[in-house]
Amino acid sequence: MSRSVKLLFAIFAIVAVSTLICACMKDKLPNSDQIQRPPLKIGYLSEHDFEGRYANLLSREFPELRYEIVPLAPLVMKQVSLDEWVKSNKIDLLYIPRNYHFQDMIDGGMLRNLDTILAEDDSFSLDDFIPSTIRLSEIYGQGSLYGIAPSFYGTAIAYNQSRFDQSGVSFPSTDYTWEDLLRLAQRFDQGLTVLSPSPFHWVQDMGRTQRMKVFDEAANRALFDQPSWRKILALAIDSLRQGHVLLESENEFHFASGEWAMAMVTYDQYKKLEQADLPFEWSLANMPTDPANPGQSSHLVADGFWAIPAQSTQPEAAWEVMKFFLSEKAAKWEYRSNYGFSALKNAVSMLQTEQEKLAAFYDVEPTLPQDESVPDELPGLVNQIVNEILESRITMGEGLNRLEESANEALLPHSR
């Protein structure tokens, strides 16, 4: 082979290798569509809140992703209406905090139905989630899924297993009522602590278990003069008067001392139990339920729902990012944070032995909390009469008889 031919082959080889290297590099670089694609607009409570929860994780998972946070604060603070906010903010991906317009957005056709997306994506399975958290979202969507919660809060009854065993008392297995629980509390000198700011709020919560309201907004009347309410009030007042029930604040947690047999615990109080070195054995049980609807509870609530607005211009990209926010990697990052328990089965607890115990928080048939507007005067009036009964200034019968009459007299000016 001549020298000139060898030189020609060498040049050809160099050109071919250079072309291959350039092609490989080009594959790793964003293409022109990616470069020109507008930033993904993510609706979140505030940019600061998003930074604290997701920003670091998101930059690691999608380093080339351009995104912009659109604050929901004006909407949440009712500075603008829902329609005004949606029209002026074109969002691709949205985190809807609990109790803020999730139902309104579904009813108004503002969110994409996720059922079709889920049917086409084999990489994502709802089976990885705690069923009740998915069911909660489906209740809002009347059977369809318009949002998925990454985390949730719940309430359960913690009980001192050591004290129960020593007293020869068995804890109700399932589907017990508030009456059952208060009768059980009466078998101990110090029976049950309840996280509640006042007797009114505790009694209201007990009534909500049975889908009862304390106030008829249309008629502007209190509803205490009913057999069901009188029974709940009598049970609650009697338990408080005998000292079998103690109302406590967020900063108190008497159960940890071992003196109280049971406690109503929230997510935050459970974290205290989890971290404490308690001198007794303890366990958890579901909250009391409605005897007419065993197993139902409105105490399971989502921190919020990730959803894709119907007007999203980048739904595919939004779904990929949404899947990441719902992943185990994201869940482990915010384990035992301020956002509640993870909605993922494998991330609700890092301890396998603890997962069965935690089922008390979520092994329920969820129901939506009642939307009830209560006049400002009502809690104070109820608490005043309850305190008069507790201080023996009036009898139980006198107090219950006065309650509705006094309430409606106080509310009368509002009906004029």
Side-chain angles (χ1 to χ4, degrees), residues 82-87 91 94 101 104-113 146 307-312:
L82 177 60
D83 288 338
E84 289 173 335
W85 189 84
V86 170
K87 287 178 182 177
I91 306 298
L94 178 62
H101 297 296
D104 295 333
M105 288 184 175
I106 293 173
D107 295 343
M110 300 176 186
L111 302 177
R112 287 178 181 259
N113 189 319
Y146 290 91
I308 300 176
Q311 63 181 4
S312 174

mmCIF file with all atom_site columns, all heavy atoms in Angstrom, residues 82-87 91 94 101 104-113 146 307-312:
data_model
loop_
_atom_site.group_PDB
_atom_site.id
_atom_site.type_symbol
_atom_site.label_atom_id
_atom_site.label_alt_id
_atom_site.label_comp_id
_atom_site.label_asym_id
_atom_site.label_entity_id
_atom_site.label_seq_id
_atom_site.pdbx_PDB_ins_code
_atom_site.Cartn_x
_atom_site.Cartn_y
_atom_site.Cartn_z
_atom_site.occupancy
_atom_site.B_iso_or_equiv
_atom_site.pdbx_formal_charge
_atom_site.auth_seq_id
_atom_site.auth_comp_id
_atom_site.auth_asym_id
_atom_site.auth_atom_id
_atom_site.pdbx_PDB_model_num
ATOM 1   N N   . LEU A 1 82  ? -60.788 31.843 43.586 1.00 0.00 ? 82  LEU A N   1
ATOM 2   C CA  . LEU A 1 82  ? -60.200 30.712 42.872 1.00 0.00 ? 82  LEU A CA  1
ATOM 3   C C   . LEU A 1 82  ? -60.173 30.953 41.370 1.00 0.00 ? 82  LEU A C   1
ATOM 4   O O   . LEU A 1 82  ? -59.156 30.720 40.712 1.00 0.00 ? 82  LEU A O   1
ATOM 5   C CB  . LEU A 1 82  ? -60.995 29.442 43.190 1.00 0.00 ? 82  LEU A CB  1
ATOM 6   C CG  . LEU A 1 82  ? -60.553 28.171 42.458 1.00 0.00 ? 82  LEU A CG  1
ATOM 7   C CD1 . LEU A 1 82  ? -59.110 27.831 42.784 1.00 0.00 ? 82  LEU A CD1 1
ATOM 8   C CD2 . LEU A 1 82  ? -61.463 27.002 42.834 1.00 0.00 ? 82  LEU A CD2 1
ATOM 9   N N   . ASP A 1 83  ? -61.280 31.444 40.815 1.00 0.00 ? 83  ASP A N   1
ATOM 10  C CA  . ASP A 1 83  ? -61.336 31.700 39.368 1.00 0.00 ? 83  ASP A CA  1
ATOM 11  C C   . ASP A 1 83  ? -60.305 32.734 38.944 1.00 0.00 ? 83  ASP A C   1
ATOM 12  O O   . ASP A 1 83  ? -59.635 32.576 37.916 1.00 0.00 ? 83  ASP A O   1
ATOM 13  C CB  . ASP A 1 83  ? -62.735 32.177 38.965 1.00 0.00 ? 83  ASP A CB  1
ATOM 14  C CG  . ASP A 1 83  ? -63.760 31.055 39.009 1.00 0.00 ? 83  ASP A CG  1
ATOM 15  O OD1 . ASP A 1 83  ? -63.344 29.881 38.928 1.00 0.00 ? 83  ASP A OD1 1
ATOM 16  O OD2 . ASP A 1 83  ? -64.965 31.344 39.130 1.00 0.00 ? 83  ASP A OD2 1
ATOM 17  N N   . GLU A 1 84  ? -60.153 33.793 39.741 1.00 0.00 ? 84  GLU A N   1
ATOM 18  C CA  . GLU A 1 84  ? -59.179 34.845 39.411 1.00 0.00 ? 84  GLU A CA  1
ATOM 19  C C   . GLU A 1 84  ? -57.763 34.290 39.435 1.00 0.00 ? 84  GLU A C   1
ATOM 20  O O   . GLU A 1 84  ? -56.953 34.585 38.546 1.00 0.00 ? 84  GLU A O   1
ATOM 21  C CB  . GLU A 1 84  ? -59.299 36.011 40.409 1.00 0.00 ? 84  GLU A CB  1
ATOM 22  C CG  . GLU A 1 84  ? -60.564 36.830 40.259 1.00 0.00 ? 84  GLU A CG  1
ATOM 23  C CD  . GLU A 1 84  ? -60.717 37.848 41.373 1.00 0.00 ? 84  GLU A CD  1
ATOM 24  O OE1 . GLU A 1 84  ? -60.145 37.619 42.463 1.00 0.00 ? 84  GLU A OE1 1
ATOM 25  O OE2 . GLU A 1 84  ? -61.396 38.855 41.155 1.00 0.00 ? 84  GLU A OE2 1
ATOM 26  N N   . TRP A 1 85  ? -57.475 33.484 40.442 1.00 0.00 ? 85  TRP A N   1
ATOM 27  C CA  . TRP A 1 85  ? -56.119 32.952 40.577 1.00 0.00 ? 85  TRP A CA  1
ATOM 28  C C   . TRP A 1 85  ? -55.790 32.012 39.426 1.00 0.00 ? 85  TRP A C   1
ATOM 29  O O   . TRP A 1 85  ? -54.706 32.064 38.859 1.00 0.00 ? 85  TRP A O   1
ATOM 30  C CB  . TRP A 1 85  ? -55.980 32.224 41.911 1.00 0.00 ? 85  TRP A CB  1
ATOM 31  C CG  . TRP A 1 85  ? -54.570 31.831 42.214 1.00 0.00 ? 85  TRP A CG  1
ATOM 32  C CD1 . TRP A 1 85  ? -53.599 32.612 42.786 1.00 0.00 ? 85  TRP A CD1 1
ATOM 33  C CD2 . TRP A 1 85  ? -53.963 30.566 41.926 1.00 0.00 ? 85  TRP A CD2 1
ATOM 34  N NE1 . TRP A 1 85  ? -52.427 31.904 42.884 1.00 0.00 ? 85  TRP A NE1 1
ATOM 35  C CE2 . TRP A 1 85  ? -52.611 30.648 42.366 1.00 0.00 ? 85  TRP A CE2 1
ATOM 36  C CE3 . TRP A 1 85  ? -54.413 29.387 41.364 1.00 0.00 ? 85  TRP A CE3 1
ATOM 37  C CZ2 . TRP A 1 85  ? -51.733 29.591 42.236 1.00 0.00 ? 85  TRP A CZ2 1
ATOM 38  C CZ3 . TRP A 1 85  ? -53.532 28.329 41.240 1.00 0.00 ? 85  TRP A CZ3 1
ATOM 39  C CH2 . TRP A 1 85  ? -52.204 28.419 41.668 1.00 0.00 ? 85  TRP A CH2 1
ATOM 40  N N   . VAL A 1 86  ? -56.735 31.138 39.068 1.00 0.00 ? 86  VAL A N   1
ATOM 41  C CA  . VAL A 1 86  ? -56.507 30.179 37.981 1.00 0.00 ? 86  VAL A CA  1
ATOM 42  C C   . VAL A 1 86  ? -56.317 30.903 36.652 1.00 0.00 ? 86  VAL A C   1
ATOM 43  O O   . VAL A 1 86  ? -55.442 30.545 35.855 1.00 0.00 ? 86  VAL A O   1
ATOM 44  C CB  . VAL A 1 86  ? -57.684 29.174 37.897 1.00 0.00 ? 86  VAL A CB  1
ATOM 45  C CG1 . VAL A 1 86  ? -57.585 28.344 36.631 1.00 0.00 ? 86  VAL A CG1 1
ATOM 46  C CG2 . VAL A 1 86  ? -57.690 28.268 39.120 1.00 0.00 ? 86  VAL A CG2 1
ATOM 47  N N   . LYS A 1 87  ? -57.115 31.946 36.400 1.00 0.00 ? 87  LYS A N   1
ATOM 48  C CA  . LYS A 1 87  ? -57.010 32.681 35.133 1.00 0.00 ? 87  LYS A CA  1
ATOM 49  C C   . LYS A 1 87  ? -55.689 33.423 35.005 1.00 0.00 ? 87  LYS A C   1
ATOM 50  O O   . LYS A 1 87  ? -55.127 33.542 33.915 1.00 0.00 ? 87  LYS A O   1
ATOM 51  C CB  . LYS A 1 87  ? -58.170 33.674 35.008 1.00 0.00 ? 87  LYS A CB  1
ATOM 52  C CG  . LYS A 1 87  ? -59.509 33.007 34.728 1.00 0.00 ? 87  LYS A CG  1
ATOM 53  C CD  . LYS A 1 87  ? -60.631 34.037 34.664 1.00 0.00 ? 87  LYS A CD  1
ATOM 54  C CE  . LYS A 1 87  ? -61.977 33.367 34.424 1.00 0.00 ? 87  LYS A CE  1
ATOM 55  N NZ  . LYS A 1 87  ? -63.087 34.358 34.420 1.00 0.00 ? 87  LYS A NZ  1
ATOM 56  N N   . ILE A 1 91  ? -50.566 27.128 35.505 1.00 0.00 ? 91  ILE A N   1
ATOM 57  C CA  . ILE A 1 91  ? -49.744 26.204 36.283 1.00 0.00 ? 91  ILE A CA  1
ATOM 58  C C   . ILE A 1 91  ? -49.658 24.849 35.577 1.00 0.00 ? 91  ILE A C   1
ATOM 59  O O   . ILE A 1 91  ? -50.634 24.354 35.015 1.00 0.00 ? 91  ILE A O   1
ATOM 60  C CB  . ILE A 1 91  ? -50.355 26.005 37.687 1.00 0.00 ? 91  ILE A CB  1
ATOM 61  C CG1 . ILE A 1 91  ? -50.574 27.359 38.375 1.00 0.00 ? 91  ILE A CG1 1
ATOM 62  C CG2 . ILE A 1 91  ? -49.470 25.119 38.547 1.00 0.00 ? 91  ILE A CG2 1
ATOM 63  C CD1 . ILE A 1 91  ? -49.309 28.135 38.617 1.00 0.00 ? 91  ILE A CD1 1
ATOM 64  N N   . LEU A 1 94  ? -49.323 21.220 40.460 1.00 0.00 ? 94  LEU A N   1
ATOM 65  C CA  . LEU A 1 94  ? -49.908 21.961 41.566 1.00 0.00 ? 94  LEU A CA  1
ATOM 66  C C   . LEU A 1 94  ? -49.978 21.116 42.833 1.00 0.00 ? 94  LEU A C   1
ATOM 67  O O   . LEU A 1 94  ? -50.388 19.956 42.795 1.00 0.00 ? 94  LEU A O   1
ATOM 68  C CB  . LEU A 1 94  ? -51.327 22.408 41.165 1.00 0.00 ? 94  LEU A CB  1
ATOM 69  C CG  . LEU A 1 94  ? -52.166 23.167 42.176 1.00 0.00 ? 94  LEU A CG  1
ATOM 70  C CD1 . LEU A 1 94  ? -51.515 24.488 42.562 1.00 0.00 ? 94  LEU A CD1 1
ATOM 71  C CD2 . LEU A 1 94  ? -53.551 23.426 41.586 1.00 0.00 ? 94  LEU A CD2 1
ATOM 72  N N   . HIS A 1 101 ? -59.655 24.247 48.466 1.00 0.00 ? 101 HIS A N   1
ATOM 73  C CA  . HIS A 1 101 ? -60.143 24.261 47.081 1.00 0.00 ? 101 HIS A CA  1
ATOM 74  C C   . HIS A 1 101 ? -59.951 22.968 46.299 1.00 0.00 ? 101 HIS A C   1
ATOM 75  O O   . HIS A 1 101 ? -60.202 22.972 45.093 1.00 0.00 ? 101 HIS A O   1
ATOM 76  C CB  . HIS A 1 101 ? -59.501 25.416 46.295 1.00 0.00 ? 101 HIS A CB  1
ATOM 77  C CG  . HIS A 1 101 ? -59.841 26.771 46.813 1.00 0.00 ? 101 HIS A CG  1
ATOM 78  N ND1 . HIS A 1 101 ? -61.129 27.272 46.801 1.00 0.00 ? 101 HIS A ND1 1
ATOM 79  C CD2 . HIS A 1 101 ? -59.066 27.737 47.374 1.00 0.00 ? 101 HIS A CD2 1
ATOM 80  C CE1 . HIS A 1 101 ? -61.133 28.490 47.329 1.00 0.00 ? 101 HIS A CE1 1
ATOM 81  N NE2 . HIS A 1 101 ? -59.906 28.794 47.685 1.00 0.00 ? 101 HIS A NE2 1
ATOM 82  N N   . ASP A 1 104 ? -63.332 22.149 45.066 1.00 0.00 ? 104 ASP A N   1
ATOM 83  C CA  . ASP A 1 104 ? -63.783 23.171 44.119 1.00 0.00 ? 104 ASP A CA  1
ATOM 84  C C   . ASP A 1 104 ? -63.094 23.022 42.766 1.00 0.00 ? 104 ASP A C   1
ATOM 85  O O   . ASP A 1 104 ? -63.716 23.204 41.720 1.00 0.00 ? 104 ASP A O   1
ATOM 86  C CB  . ASP A 1 104 ? -63.516 24.570 44.681 1.00 0.00 ? 104 ASP A CB  1
ATOM 87  C CG  . ASP A 1 104 ? -64.341 24.857 45.926 1.00 0.00 ? 104 ASP A CG  1
ATOM 88  O OD1 . ASP A 1 104 ? -65.429 24.269 46.060 1.00 0.00 ? 104 ASP A OD1 1
ATOM 89  O OD2 . ASP A 1 104 ? -63.880 25.652 46.755 1.00 0.00 ? 104 ASP A OD2 1
ATOM 90  N N   . MET A 1 105 ? -61.801 22.693 42.789 1.00 0.00 ? 105 MET A N   1
ATOM 91  C CA  . MET A 1 105 ? -61.064 22.534 41.536 1.00 0.00 ? 105 MET A CA  1
ATOM 92  C C   . MET A 1 105 ? -61.549 21.311 40.757 1.00 0.00 ? 105 MET A C   1
ATOM 93  O O   . MET A 1 105 ? -61.634 21.341 39.526 1.00 0.00 ? 105 MET A O   1
ATOM 94  C CB  . MET A 1 105 ? -59.564 22.420 41.816 1.00 0.00 ? 105 MET A CB  1
ATOM 95  C CG  . MET A 1 105 ? -58.925 23.717 42.258 1.00 0.00 ? 105 MET A CG  1
ATOM 96  S SD  . MET A 1 105 ? -57.131 23.548 42.469 1.00 0.00 ? 105 MET A SD  1
ATOM 97  C CE  . MET A 1 105 ? -56.682 25.255 42.834 1.00 0.00 ? 105 MET A CE  1
ATOM 98  N N   . ILE A 1 106 ? -61.871 20.243 41.489 1.00 0.00 ? 106 ILE A N   1
ATOM 99  C CA  . ILE A 1 106 ? -62.402 19.051 40.825 1.00 0.00 ? 106 ILE A CA  1
ATOM 100 C C   . ILE A 1 106 ? -63.762 19.364 40.210 1.00 0.00 ? 106 ILE A C   1
ATOM 101 O O   . ILE A 1 106 ? -64.013 19.087 39.030 1.00 0.00 ? 106 ILE A O   1
ATOM 102 C CB  . ILE A 1 106 ? -62.520 17.883 41.822 1.00 0.00 ? 106 ILE A CB  1
ATOM 103 C CG1 . ILE A 1 106 ? -61.138 17.423 42.277 1.00 0.00 ? 106 ILE A CG1 1
ATOM 104 C CG2 . ILE A 1 106 ? -63.277 16.714 41.185 1.00 0.00 ? 106 ILE A CG2 1
ATOM 105 C CD1 . ILE A 1 106 ? -61.171 16.397 43.388 1.00 0.00 ? 106 ILE A CD1 1
ATOM 106 N N   . ASP A 1 107 ? -64.644 19.964 41.006 1.00 0.00 ? 107 ASP A N   1
ATOM 107 C CA  . ASP A 1 107 ? -65.992 20.264 40.533 1.00 0.00 ? 107 ASP A CA  1
ATOM 108 C C   . ASP A 1 107 ? -65.979 21.252 39.365 1.00 0.00 ? 107 ASP A C   1
ATOM 109 O O   . ASP A 1 107 ? -66.861 21.195 38.504 1.00 0.00 ? 107 ASP A O   1
ATOM 110 C CB  . ASP A 1 107 ? -66.847 20.831 41.677 1.00 0.00 ? 107 ASP A CB  1
ATOM 111 C CG  . ASP A 1 107 ? -67.085 19.809 42.783 1.00 0.00 ? 107 ASP A CG  1
ATOM 112 O OD1 . ASP A 1 107 ? -66.880 18.603 42.530 1.00 0.00 ? 107 ASP A OD1 1
ATOM 113 O OD2 . ASP A 1 107 ? -67.459 20.222 43.901 1.00 0.00 ? 107 ASP A OD2 1
ATOM 114 N N   . GLY A 1 108 ? -64.982 22.155 39.350 1.00 0.00 ? 108 GLY A N   1
ATOM 115 C CA  . GLY A 1 108 ? -64.900 23.146 38.294 1.00 0.00 ? 108 GLY A CA  1
ATOM 116 C C   . GLY A 1 108 ? -64.156 22.671 37.051 1.00 0.00 ? 108 GLY A C   1
ATOM 117 O O   . GLY A 1 108 ? -63.937 23.458 36.123 1.00 0.00 ? 108 GLY A O   1
ATOM 118 N N   . GLY A 1 109 ? -63.756 21.392 37.025 1.00 0.00 ? 109 GLY A N   1
ATOM 119 C CA  . GLY A 1 109 ? -63.052 20.863 35.860 1.00 0.00 ? 109 GLY A CA  1
ATOM 120 C C   . GLY A 1 109 ? -61.667 21.457 35.674 1.00 0.00 ? 109 GLY A C   1
ATOM 121 O O   . GLY A 1 109 ? -61.150 21.508 34.554 1.00 0.00 ? 109 GLY A O   1
ATOM 122 N N   . MET A 1 110 ? -61.045 21.876 36.780 1.00 0.00 ? 110 MET A N   1
ATOM 123 C CA  . MET A 1 110 ? -59.747 22.549 36.688 1.00 0.00 ? 110 MET A CA  1
ATOM 124 C C   . MET A 1 110 ? -58.563 21.589 36.769 1.00 0.00 ? 110 MET A C   1
ATOM 125 O O   . MET A 1 110 ? -57.422 22.011 36.581 1.00 0.00 ? 110 MET A O   1
ATOM 126 C CB  . MET A 1 110 ? -59.629 23.592 37.810 1.00 0.00 ? 110 MET A CB  1
ATOM 127 C CG  . MET A 1 110 ? -60.691 24.672 37.763 1.00 0.00 ? 110 MET A CG  1
ATOM 128 S SD  . MET A 1 110 ? -60.563 25.801 39.183 1.00 0.00 ? 110 MET A SD  1
ATOM 129 C CE  . MET A 1 110 ? -62.030 26.815 38.922 1.00 0.00 ? 110 MET A CE  1
ATOM 130 N N   . LEU A 1 111 ? -58.824 20.305 37.074 1.00 0.00 ? 111 LEU A N   1
ATOM 131 C CA  . LEU A 1 111 ? -57.738 19.339 37.245 1.00 0.00 ? 111 LEU A CA  1
ATOM 132 C C   . LEU A 1 111 ? -57.895 18.180 36.259 1.00 0.00 ? 111 LEU A C   1
ATOM 133 O O   . LEU A 1 111 ? -59.011 17.797 35.904 1.00 0.00 ? 111 LEU A O   1
ATOM 134 C CB  . LEU A 1 111 ? -57.733 18.787 38.680 1.00 0.00 ? 111 LEU A CB  1
ATOM 135 C CG  . LEU A 1 111 ? -57.593 19.807 39.805 1.00 0.00 ? 111 LEU A CG  1
ATOM 136 C CD1 . LEU A 1 111 ? -57.678 19.105 41.158 1.00 0.00 ? 111 LEU A CD1 1
ATOM 137 C CD2 . LEU A 1 111 ? -56.289 20.581 39.691 1.00 0.00 ? 111 LEU A CD2 1
ATOM 138 N N   . ARG A 1 112 ? -56.758 17.619 35.842 1.00 0.00 ? 112 ARG A N   1
ATOM 139 C CA  . ARG A 1 112 ? -56.775 16.464 34.963 1.00 0.00 ? 112 ARG A CA  1
ATOM 140 C C   . ARG A 1 112 ? -57.145 15.209 35.740 1.00 0.00 ? 112 ARG A C   1
ATOM 141 O O   . ARG A 1 112 ? -56.672 15.003 36.851 1.00 0.00 ? 112 ARG A O   1
ATOM 142 C CB  . ARG A 1 112 ? -55.412 16.258 34.299 1.00 0.00 ? 112 ARG A CB  1
ATOM 143 C CG  . ARG A 1 112 ? -55.095 17.284 33.222 1.00 0.00 ? 112 ARG A CG  1
ATOM 144 C CD  . ARG A 1 112 ? -53.713 17.041 32.646 1.00 0.00 ? 112 ARG A CD  1
ATOM 145 N NE  . ARG A 1 112 ? -53.411 18.041 31.640 1.00 0.00 ? 112 ARG A NE  1
ATOM 146 C CZ  . ARG A 1 112 ? -53.490 17.839 30.318 1.00 0.00 ? 112 ARG A CZ  1
ATOM 147 N NH1 . ARG A 1 112 ? -53.846 16.640 29.870 1.00 0.00 ? 112 ARG A NH1 1
ATOM 148 N NH2 . ARG A 1 112 ? -53.212 18.799 29.462 1.00 0.00 ? 112 ARG A NH2 1
ATOM 149 N N   . ASN A 1 113 ? -57.965 14.383 35.131 1.00 0.00 ? 113 ASN A N   1
ATOM 150 C CA  . ASN A 1 113 ? -58.275 13.079 35.697 1.00 0.00 ? 113 ASN A CA  1
ATOM 151 C C   . ASN A 1 113 ? -57.035 12.201 35.527 1.00 0.00 ? 113 ASN A C   1
ATOM 152 O O   . ASN A 1 113 ? -56.559 12.001 34.409 1.00 0.00 ? 113 ASN A O   1
ATOM 153 C CB  . ASN A 1 113 ? -59.483 12.472 34.979 1.00 0.00 ? 113 ASN A CB  1
ATOM 154 C CG  . ASN A 1 113 ? -59.981 11.218 35.664 1.00 0.00 ? 113 ASN A CG  1
ATOM 155 O OD1 . ASN A 1 113 ? -59.201 10.381 36.101 1.00 0.00 ? 113 ASN A OD1 1
ATOM 156 N ND2 . ASN A 1 113 ? -61.292 11.075 35.738 1.00 0.00 ? 113 ASN A ND2 1
ATOM 157 N N   . TYR A 1 146 ? -58.025 12.672 41.076 1.00 0.00 ? 146 TYR A N   1
ATOM 158 C CA  . TYR A 1 146 ? -57.567 13.954 40.527 1.00 0.00 ? 146 TYR A CA  1
ATOM 159 C C   . TYR A 1 146 ? -56.327 14.469 41.253 1.00 0.00 ? 146 TYR A C   1
ATOM 160 O O   . TYR A 1 146 ? -55.762 15.480 40.864 1.00 0.00 ? 146 TYR A O   1
ATOM 161 C CB  . TYR A 1 146 ? -58.677 14.999 40.628 1.00 0.00 ? 146 TYR A CB  1
ATOM 162 C CG  . TYR A 1 146 ? -59.831 14.734 39.696 1.00 0.00 ? 146 TYR A CG  1
ATOM 163 C CD1 . TYR A 1 146 ? -60.915 13.973 40.112 1.00 0.00 ? 146 TYR A CD1 1
ATOM 164 C CD2 . TYR A 1 146 ? -59.825 15.225 38.398 1.00 0.00 ? 146 TYR A CD2 1
ATOM 165 C CE1 . TYR A 1 146 ? -61.977 13.716 39.257 1.00 0.00 ? 146 TYR A CE1 1
ATOM 166 C CE2 . TYR A 1 146 ? -60.889 14.980 37.529 1.00 0.00 ? 146 TYR A CE2 1
ATOM 167 C CZ  . TYR A 1 146 ? -61.952 14.224 37.968 1.00 0.00 ? 146 TYR A CZ  1
ATOM 168 O OH  . TYR A 1 146 ? -63.001 13.967 37.108 1.00 0.00 ? 146 TYR A OH  1
ATOM 169 N N   . ALA A 1 307 ? -51.375 17.449 42.002 1.00 0.00 ? 307 ALA A N   1
ATOM 170 C CA  . ALA A 1 307 ? -52.342 17.351 40.910 1.00 0.00 ? 307 ALA A CA  1
ATOM 171 C C   . ALA A 1 307 ? -51.792 18.077 39.685 1.00 0.00 ? 307 ALA A C   1
ATOM 172 O O   . ALA A 1 307 ? -50.880 18.909 39.785 1.00 0.00 ? 307 ALA A O   1
ATOM 173 C CB  . ALA A 1 307 ? -53.685 17.955 41.329 1.00 0.00 ? 307 ALA A CB  1
ATOM 174 N N   . ILE A 1 308 ? -52.348 17.750 38.527 1.00 0.00 ? 308 ILE A N   1
ATOM 175 C CA  . ILE A 1 308 ? -51.961 18.397 37.269 1.00 0.00 ? 308 ILE A CA  1
ATOM 176 C C   . ILE A 1 308 ? -53.150 19.206 36.773 1.00 0.00 ? 308 ILE A C   1
ATOM 177 O O   . ILE A 1 308 ? -54.204 18.636 36.465 1.00 0.00 ? 308 ILE A O   1
ATOM 178 C CB  . ILE A 1 308 ? -51.536 17.370 36.206 1.00 0.00 ? 308 ILE A CB  1
ATOM 179 C CG1 . ILE A 1 308 ? -50.347 16.553 36.713 1.00 0.00 ? 308 ILE A CG1 1
ATOM 180 C CG2 . ILE A 1 308 ? -51.181 18.065 34.892 1.00 0.00 ? 308 ILE A CG2 1
ATOM 181 C CD1 . ILE A 1 308 ? -49.910 15.444 35.771 1.00 0.00 ? 308 ILE A CD1 1
ATOM 182 N N   . PRO A 1 309 ? -53.026 20.527 36.693 1.00 0.00 ? 309 PRO A N   1
ATOM 183 C CA  . PRO A 1 309 ? -54.134 21.357 36.211 1.00 0.00 ? 309 PRO A CA  1
ATOM 184 C C   . PRO A 1 309 ? -54.523 20.997 34.776 1.00 0.00 ? 309 PRO A C   1
ATOM 185 O O   . PRO A 1 309 ? -53.688 20.592 33.969 1.00 0.00 ? 309 PRO A O   1
ATOM 186 C CB  . PRO A 1 309 ? -53.579 22.782 36.295 1.00 0.00 ? 309 PRO A CB  1
ATOM 187 C CG  . PRO A 1 309 ? -52.503 22.705 37.335 1.00 0.00 ? 309 PRO A CG  1
ATOM 188 C CD  . PRO A 1 309 ? -51.888 21.350 37.165 1.00 0.00 ? 309 PRO A CD  1
ATOM 189 N N   . ALA A 1 310 ? -55.788 21.169 34.466 1.00 0.00 ? 310 ALA A N   1
ATOM 190 C CA  . ALA A 1 310 ? -56.276 20.873 33.119 1.00 0.00 ? 310 ALA A CA  1
ATOM 191 C C   . ALA A 1 310 ? -55.608 21.770 32.080 1.00 0.00 ? 310 ALA A C   1
ATOM 192 O O   . ALA A 1 310 ? -55.455 21.378 30.924 1.00 0.00 ? 310 ALA A O   1
ATOM 193 C CB  . ALA A 1 310 ? -57.793 21.043 33.079 1.00 0.00 ? 310 ALA A CB  1
ATOM 194 N N   . GLN A 1 311 ? -55.191 22.965 32.469 1.00 0.00 ? 311 GLN A N   1
ATOM 195 C CA  . GLN A 1 311 ? -54.590 23.907 31.523 1.00 0.00 ? 311 GLN A CA  1
ATOM 196 C C   . GLN A 1 311 ? -53.070 23.754 31.401 1.00 0.00 ? 311 GLN A C   1
ATOM 197 O O   . GLN A 1 311 ? -52.422 24.546 30.715 1.00 0.00 ? 311 GLN A O   1
ATOM 198 C CB  . GLN A 1 311 ? -54.908 25.335 31.957 1.00 0.00 ? 311 GLN A CB  1
ATOM 199 C CG  . GLN A 1 311 ? -54.298 25.696 33.317 1.00 0.00 ? 311 GLN A CG  1
ATOM 200 C CD  . GLN A 1 311 ? -54.633 27.107 33.760 1.00 0.00 ? 311 GLN A CD  1
ATOM 201 O OE1 . GLN A 1 311 ? -55.381 27.807 33.107 1.00 0.00 ? 311 GLN A OE1 1
ATOM 202 N NE2 . GLN A 1 311 ? -54.061 27.527 34.883 1.00 0.00 ? 311 GLN A NE2 1
ATOM 203 N N   . SER A 1 312 ? -52.494 22.727 32.039 1.00 0.00 ? 312 SER A N   1
ATOM 204 C CA  . SER A 1 312 ? -51.042 22.516 31.966 1.00 0.00 ? 312 SER A CA  1
ATOM 205 C C   . SER A 1 312 ? -50.592 22.364 30.517 1.00 0.00 ? 312 SER A C   1
ATOM 206 O O   . SER A 1 312 ? -51.173 21.590 29.756 1.00 0.00 ? 312 SER A O   1
ATOM 207 C CB  . SER A 1 312 ? -50.653 21.269 32.767 1.00 0.00 ? 312 SER A CB  1
ATOM 208 O OG  . SER A 1 312 ? -49.282 20.966 32.588 1.00 0.00 ? 312 SER A OG  1
#
